[in-house]
Amino acid sequence: MNVLDLFATISLDSSGFHAGLGAAMNTAKNLGGGIANALGNAAKLGAAALAATTAAATAFAASSVAVGKEFDAAMSGVAATAGKTVDELNNEMVSTQLASGEFSGSLRDLAKQLGSETSFSATQAAEALNYMALAGYNAQQSADMLPTVLNLAAAGDMELATASDMVTDAQSALGLSLDETKNMVDQMAMASSKSNTSVAQLGEAFLTVGGTAKNLSGGTTELSTALGILANSGIKGAEGGTALRNVILSLSAPTDKAAEALNALGVNAFDAEGNMRPLDDVFTDLNNSLEPLTQQEKTQALNNIFNKVDLKSVEALMAGTEAWDDLAASIDNAAGAAGEMAETKMDNLAGDITKWQSALEGAQIAISDYLTPSIREFVQFGTEGLSQLTEAINKGDINSVVESFGTILSDGVNKIIEATPMLIDAGMRIMGALGKGLLDNMPTIIKAAIQVISMFTKGIMQATPELGAAGLEIIIMLGEYLIENLPEIVKTGFDFIAMLVTGIAEAIPELIPVAIEVISQLAQNLLQNIDILFNAALQLALALALGFAENIDKIIEIAPMIMNEIGKAIINNLPMIITVGLQIIIALAEGIIKGSASLLAAIIETIANIIVLFRDTNWKEIGIQILEGLKTGVLEAAVRLINTIVDIAKR
């Protein structure tokens, strides 16, 4: 039996338990109250932790239901705007290309998908779908356009409502197809990066120009380029859109006076087939025609063609003809620019947090989708029950009220019972999935743990010189502190020892039986490990001997002082030593007399064991080992002794 077994035996042995229960309770009150309090506090802490965990899980579930409720309300709004029921909208399948790959599913699924992988939440995506439904888009058109709207809003730091209105209004005003509209958004993003304007300002300018831009031969590329040229001269947003609209109208539908001025300069806004020429070509011709004129003549000619308020914009377009081709080439090659700009703007911590929040909302919606059907059923049941109860109360019949309440309570319990297997099954599925996930990923987890341990070990090895130096410095500082405070430390130590001895002396009657059992068990363990202990003791003795030998000079120096102090202490405490010694001798004698029979038997058994040991021992083999050990030891000692004598002689 080892020490742990001993304690287990003491703890589990119930003999005499009932007889000593009262004393044990008193002892617990006096000596173990702290343990009881600690256990109580631990229980309270465990209960608090469980309560906190339960509260957190409940709060997250409630939050998930709230998020899902908001998303479902937004999707119901889409269905209502599109003139469909929620089921009809959810059953209508769409497909479109996303940055993450091909998508196929319902609009609800699409909103959730984009909510999990963009900077916008699923609820925001649903709100954008509602704006498209307001613009008359069907489900497939909405699916094709939604990623474009989200990219525009992200690239331009715009509200989704603004971005949705901008896209749908621009498409309608310019008569664009879905593909042309997607291209327009990319061109707006590229124009904002290549000229002094923002996506939002360009969008505002697009809406201001409106249907007038249909007259441009270069389509949205020419429109974006012209607005970019104006923006480089500080004419942006609605101002730029208004100016460009006026310029297009002045050229495409000139007044008689303007037409006469254009003819006089030899500038044609239309080609031979009656189509409007590119603005770049028109303003290049205008520049060349005005070159020979004086400043006054130039101003007068421009005043005859354009409104006075638009002259600044006209001059900007004329001055920008040299940069026109380069800007137009960039804008014409803008496929994917809006998505890239949106991604770049999210490539930071704030963007990561935004995406994490969107992904979290997706997880909450998934939880809500699981919980909402049951919650709706209970809410509808509660509504119906309250209606029945109200009707019974209005009748004024107490029996009807009680009967209605009993029916509601009974039906409610039945619903809970019906839902319980499903909840248990869901819990088991979650636990099973968690276990399977852990098992499936166990090699990866173990590999990661090994890598962490390896890196930690390498870090320790790399830091070993610094750790060693720091450790040595700490040891030196500790030694200096001990030397400086040694008298106080010694005094405190002796005071503690005195208190400890006094306490032990008072508790000896109770401690002796336990101590005897502990000593017995320790003795058995010592006997089982006697060879190891002997070997360790011999090694320790050898190390101590070598240490004493190397420091013999210092020991000799302090030995007289130590002996002197010990002698003084013995003389000062001699009466107490004699008194205590006599008490010890008397106590031992009484114990020996009481246990003489057992002691005699133990002595006889010990002598018999020694005789058997001597008889069975191979003394010849041991003698040979001793002689070999002595021979080796004597030789080593002789060498060390000779070296020591030589060292002394050198001094």
Side-chain angles (χ1 to χ4, degrees), residues 84 109 115 124-125 168 214 236 238 244 263 282 289 333 341 415 423 428 469 491 606 633 644:
K84 300 178 180 179
D109 295 332
Q124 290 173 319
T168 55
K214 285 183 178 180
K236 309 176 185 180
L244 183 59
N263 288 331
V282 173
S289 298
N333 188 28
M341 181 177 287
K415 285 186 176 295
L423 295 175
M428 293 301 99
K491 181 178 181 303
T606 302
T644 303

Side-chain angles (χ1 to χ4, degrees), residues 271-284:
D271 58 21
E273 297 177 355
N275 298 317
M276 190 170 183
R277 299 172 61 206
L279 289 178
D280 180 30
D281 294 343
V282 173
F283 280 103
T284 299

Side-chain angles (χ1 to χ4, degrees), residues 156-167:
D157 296 321
M158 303 161 61
E159 295 290 336
L160 271 176
T162 303
S164 299
D165 281 343
M166 183 179 296
V167 170

Side-chain angles (χ1 to χ4, degrees), residues 623-639:
I624 294 172
Q625 293 177 355
I626 292 172
L627 290 175
E628 290 178 352
L630 287 174
K631 180 177 67 175
T632 303
V634 168
L635 289 175
E636 292 180 355
V639 173

